[in-house]
Amino acid sequence: MSEEKARIVFPAAATGTTPPASEEGDSQLSRRRFVSIRNPWWLRLIVLTLIAGAVAVIWVTNSFLGDRFTETTRNRAEVRLALYTGHILSELQRTSVVPLLLARDPQLISALNSSEFSSTSQNLISAQTEIGAASILLLDASGRTVAATDRTQIGTNFGSAPQFVNAQRSKDTVFTVGERATGGYDFSYSRAVLSDNRLVGVIVVGAELAKFERVWAGISDAVAVVNSENRVILSTEPRWRGLPIGEALAVRPAPSAIARAFQATTDWANDPPDAYIRGEAVMRNEARIPFRGWKLISFTTYDSIREKVNAFLALEIMVFAVLLSLIFYLLSRRARRQSAVARRESADLRQLNARLQQVIAEREKVRKDLEVAEQTLAQSSKLAALGEMSAAVSHELNQPLAAMKTYLAGARLLLQRRRAEEALSSFQRIDDLIERMGAITRQLKSYARKGGEAFEPVDVRSCISSALSMMEPTLRTRSVRITRMLTRESVVVMADRVRLEQVIINLLRNALDATRQSADPEIEIILTAGETVTLAVRDNGHGIDDLENLFEPFYTTKKPGEGVGLGLAISSGIVKDLGGRLTARNAAGGGAVFEVQLPILTGKTQAAE
């Protein structure tokens, strides 16, 4: 039915002919009936639009809310890290003061001098209760424990322990991290006890950092503290202690605490996850602890993100489902009515199809007539192009002919003076000019017929040198200062060498003509290379009056006989064929600037070519 409908609507819009009155009445009747048939297609288009809109809205909602709730979760984790960092620093600072106070306690000094320690342990226990330290040990000069908050350690010798050795060597309080045989680490501050500048003992106070592990274990985050060597020294997961953080995340199996902590997957993280635990994506946050290069790392779950996003998505899906149900109900009712109408319209469709075949035949005849007219117009355009090409040939060959005339005069003079070898070089240049004239005529033929271009890597600097050599006879007749500012390295573009030199010669010739009335004529040739190659030719002439029509064919400001106005038009066409752009502007200090921008040939570009 869709084909028949299209075929009926097409003739009325395409032919522009007026059908008979009876046919017009039938067409209007059929058109009124087909309105009711076409409406369901619009409804189906609405259904497709609604489905596409629903998918887009759900996708955008999931992305937006996922990012928003993820950022909120990350911010909360960062706040917790800042709080945990403050707790650790506070505990370390509070504990670091205790050895200094106890090392100056007269009772402890007197007990060490008299070796009377009956009440010393009780005094240390009282001090531990007040300050909340993990443990306090009093060692004599030999490293033997003479008093301790843990009485089972009395008599233990710590003579080779880092706490005792480092305290003897330093007059200040020394912080030591010691690894326990049962796993984990002990953190302690130790200080030498002096009596009359004589070492009588060492006081060792343990920092209660393990309590933070117990506090952090009750939170959904997995938390670890790593030292400057990136090794875990505190963690809510006992299996991580003593391992580098990367190894701990990679090889250790996830116990129940990790399973509770890492329940996020990459499906609900719009950005790439920070880390993976056994294939599961997690959010990693770090905070620097300003103490010995420590860092606090937490791995936060995405538990609440999915529930929040699902609530919004469920509401959106329900709304779209209700709308789709209503549209499908309307479609089903209209489809039943339209099927009956379609059966009654079948006879009219056969008649209209017959008339359509006649119209198609007429349109085919019109199309063939149009093709004949187009061929005639194309032939006329080619004849016009031949006239323009003949003018272009005359314009482009003037410069080589003038150069040949100069070289012939020089060769005649050299032969008269019996300097045959030098005359041979002039004849060689004339031969090169003849080859160049042949290349120019071959290039100009491309204006009449488009063909493949023989491009190759060309050094712009060598093209500039060749163009100046070509212009040498003309430059000798003028007193013009030419300044070249070129790059040290080769600047390579993909181009036709002859055509590129042709552009440079045309620009130099225009610059010479513009500076003809200047008192101190000067031409600057500037070559720069960046993302593109830019060749600028600047003169100090009278400037450009009409920039809009500058590149139009046969537009010139020269006197009759001095130019035909094709140089810049041809140059602009060549630069466009090379994939570049030729622009012109007036210089700030007077004169004109012509810039040629071409794509630079890099390693990647050459590989693509």
Side-chain angles (χ1 to χ4, degrees):
M1 184 181 296
S2 61
E3 290 184 1
E4 293 174 346
K5 177 189 68 177
R7 292 168 65 187
I8 292 170
V9 176
F10 177 76
T15 61
T17 59
T18 304
S22 59
E23 294 181 359
E24 183 177 3
D26 294 340
S27 300
Q28 292 177 355
L29 176 60
S30 300
R31 195 176 297 113
R32 286 195 300 270
R33 291 177 179 176
F34 276 107
V35 169
S36 61
I37 297 179
R38 283 190 302 200
N39 284 339
W41 295 103
W42 292 103
L43 289 176
R44 287 166 187 158
L45 179 61
I46 293 174
V47 170
L48 294 177
T49 305
L50 181 62
I51 294 175
V55 173
V57 170
I58 292 174
W59 180 272
V60 172
T61 301
N62 178 70
S63 177
F64 173 74
L65 294 180
D67 289 341
R68 182 176 179 182
F69 293 146
T70 300
E71 186 65 23
T72 302
T73 304
R74 187 181 296 276
N75 292 336
R76 290 177 180 174
E78 291 176 354
V79 171
R80 285 196 296 270
L81 284 181
L83 182 63
Y84 297 163
T85 301
H87 290 168
I88 293 175
L89 283 178
S90 177
E91 180 66 23
L92 291 173
Q93 291 172 357
R94 182 171 58 84
T95 308
S96 65
V97 181
V98 177
L100 177 61
L101 299 177
L102 294 179
R104 297 178 180 178
D105 189 351
Q107 293 182 0
L108 295 181
I109 296 174
S110 176
L112 289 171
N113 288 328
S114 62
S115 300
E116 178 60 36
F117 306 105
S118 58
S119 61
T120 305
S121 295
Q122 185 59 42
N123 294 336
L124 295 180
I125 292 174
S126 300
Q128 179 191 21
T129 303
E130 294 177 0
I131 64 178
S135 63
I136 302 177
L137 300 177
L138 180 63
L139 311 179
D140 60 10
S142 64
R144 186 176 62 87
T145 305
V146 295
T149 55
D150 185 3
R151 298 180 184 272
T152 59
Q153 294 187 354
I154 296 177
T156 305
N157 194 306
F158 290 92
S160 59
Q163 299 91 327
F164 180 77
V165 175
N166 294 335
Q168 283 184 320
R169 296 175 179 175
S170 175
K171 296 182 180 180
D172 297 327
T173 303
V174 179
F175 179 78
T176 306
V177 178
E179 188 173 0
R180 293 194 298 263
T182 58
Y185 293 87
D186 289 325
F187 308 92
S188 62
Y189 286 94
S190 58
R191 189 181 182 92
V193 181
L194 303 178
S195 177
D196 297 332
N197 291 328
R198 179 176 56 85
L199 178 68
V200 295
V202 173
I203 187 73
V204 180
V205 180
E208 184 63 24
L209 298 183
K211 64 182 180 181
F212 296 118
E213 294 180 334
R214 296 188 294 271
V215 174
W216 298 337
I219 305 175
S220 60
D221 295 357
V223 184
V225 177
V226 298
N227 58 13
S228 59
E229 298 176 354
N230 215 29
R231 189 174 296 275
V232 179
I233 56 177
L234 284 176
S235 176
T236 55
E237 302 305 322
R239 297 188 180 186
W240 289 8
R241 298 187 191 119
L243 295 175
I245 186 63
E247 182 180 346
L249 295 176
V251 302
R252 291 298 180 182
S256 58
I258 293 296
R260 293 193 304 269
F262 308 129
Q263 294 296 325
T265 60
T266 55
D267 295 341
W268 307 112
N270 295 324
D271 296 329
D274 299 330
Y276 287 91
I277 302 297
R278 299 187 65 187
E280 294 184 348
V282 296
M283 181 188 301
R284 174 171 175 166
N285 295 280
E286 294 185 6
R288 188 178 64 86
I289 302 175
F291 181 80
R292 292 177 173 264
W294 288 7
K295 289 190 299 184
L296 184 62
I297 305 175
S298 71
F299 298 92
T300 308
T301 65
Y302 291 83
D303 290 342
S304 60
I305 297 177
R306 187 66 261 145
E307 289 78 4
K308 294 178 182 178
V309 175
N310 279 343
F312 286 94
L313 296 183
L315 180 60
E316 291 179 352
I317 292 173
M318 182 178 64
V319 172
F320 286 119
V322 172
L323 292 177
L324 286 175
S325 300
L326 179 60
I327 292 175
F328 287 144
Y329 173 72
L330 295 176
L331 283 175
S332 63
R333 293 189 58 186
R334 298 180 66 87
R336 289 192 295 269
R337 294 197 302 267
Q338 292 165 2
S339 61
V341 174
R343 288 191 296 269
R344 292 194 300 268
E345 298 292 337
S346 60
D348 294 337
L349 286 174
R350 286 191 293 270
Q351 297 177 1
L352 292 176
N353 285 334
R355 291 197 297 269
L356 178 61
Q357 296 296 329
Q358 181 181 358
V359 173
I360 291 175
E362 294 176 357
R363 287 177 57 85
E364 183 67 21
K365 182 178 180 300
V366 172
R367 185 183 63 81
K368 292 181 179 179
D369 295 340
L370 180 60
E371 289 180 355
V372 173
E374 288 178 350
Q375 292 176 359
T376 304
L377 181 61
Q379 185 66 25
S380 300
S381 299
K382 288 183 179 179
L383 293 176
L386 288 176
E388 184 176 348
M389 186 182 70
S390 63
V393 169
S394 175
H395 180 275
E396 292 300 324
L397 295 183
N398 281 336
Q399 185 66 30
L401 287 174
M404 289 173 61
K405 183 178 181 180
T406 302
Y407 286 134
L408 283 173
R412 183 183 299 111
L413 183 61
L414 291 173
L415 289 175
Q416 291 175 357
R417 296 179 181 179
R418 300 183 181 278
R419 295 161 61 180
E421 294 182 356
E422 298 182 13
L424 287 176
S425 64
S426 298
F427 289 135
Q428 181 62 41
R429 292 188 178 183
I430 293 173
D431 185 66
D432 294 340
L433 289 174
I434 293 173
E435 291 293 333
R436 180 176 182 83
M437 291 170 64
I440 290 175
T441 56
R442 287 193 298 272
Q443 293 295 337
L444 290 174
K445 290 179 182 178
S446 65
Y447 293 120
R449 52 177 176 83
K450 291 293 183 180
E453 303 292 347
F455 290 169
E456 61 181 359
V458 176
D459 189 355
V460 182
R461 300 185 309 167
S462 63
C463 291
I464 295 173
S465 300
S466 299
L468 290 174
S469 177
M470 180 71 66
M471 295 290 294
E472 181 180 354
T474 304
L475 295 175
R476 288 179 178 177
T477 62
R478 294 281 305 278
S479 177
V480 181
R481 183 173 63 182
I482 297 180
T483 304
R484 289 188 293 178
M485 290 179 281
L486 310 180
T487 59
R488 295 180 180 273
E489 297 80 11
S490 298
V491 180
V492 182
V493 298
M494 185 64 70
D496 185 343
R497 184 183 186 88
V498 174
R499 301 182 72 185
L500 183 56
E501 291 177 3
Q502 180 182 350
V503 172
I504 299 173
I505 290 174
N506 287 340
L507 296 182
L508 290 175
R509 187 164 53 196
N510 282 343
L512 289 173
D513 294 339
T515 57
R516 191 178 299 276
Q517 304 299 330
S518 300
D520 186 14
E522 181 180 357
I523 299 175
E524 294 181 357
I525 303 174
I526 305 171
L527 178 63
T528 59
E531 295 182 356
T532 59
V533 176
T534 302
L535 172 62
V537 178
R538 183 182 184 276
D539 61 72
N540 60 347
H542 52 74
I544 304 171
D545 296 331
D546 189 359
L547 289 172
E548 294 183 359
N549 300 320
L550 185 63
F551 298 103
E552 294 294 332
F554 303 105
Y555 172 80
T556 180
T557 58
K558 300 177 183 178
K559 297 179 181 180
E562 295 182 359
V564 295
L566 286 174
L568 291 178
I570 293 174
S571 299
S572 179
I574 292 174
V575 174
K576 287 182 180 179
D577 291 342
L578 300 181
R581 183 177 61 174
L582 174 61
T583 59
R585 70 176 189 277
N586 288 316
V593 179
F594 288 84
E595 288 188 355
V596 178
Q597 294 183 356
L598 294 173
I600 192 169
L601 182 63
T602 60
K604 294 182 179 179
T605 307
Q606 192 168 5
E609 293 292 342

